[in-house]
Amino acid sequence: TDSPDFIRPMVEIEQLSTVLTPAEIIAALTRNAAAFLNLDAEIGTLETGKVADLVMVDGNPLGNVQALGHVQIVVRGGRIAIDNRQAGDSPIH
């Protein structure tokens, strides 16, 4: 994040939403960030041969970018690293 309020990334996402679409914000956080780091051959998009770390959110961030602030599951290295689902929530399919 470029935000001085680095412990609250939604502040930056909210600011970006005034000039970018949700799809452009997601691209900036993923594909564009990987390209900037010259790691786009390894990370940044879901493609065969790339590392597939995932962040799953509650809601559709393409329809409402605020959904990015509601992280439910983080998959890192093929394993669930963070699981914020409540008991009774739907399993991963």
Side-chain angles (χ1 to χ4, degrees), residues 23-47:
E24 291 169 328
I25 293 169
I26 292 168
L29 297 171
T30 57
R31 182 186 64 224
N32 298 354
F36 176 78
L37 296 170
N38 200 28
L39 294 173
D40 50 323
E42 301 168 39
I43 63 172
T45 57
L46 292 176
E47 296 180 64

Side-chain angles (χ1 to χ4, degrees), residues 43-68:
I43 63 172
T45 57
L46 292 176
E47 296 180 64
T48 300
K50 290 188 175 184
V51 175
D53 293 343
L54 303 169
V55 175
M56 298 175 204
V57 299
D58 184 13
N60 178 0
L62 292 174
N64 180 0
V65 76
Q66 297 298 318
L68 294 174

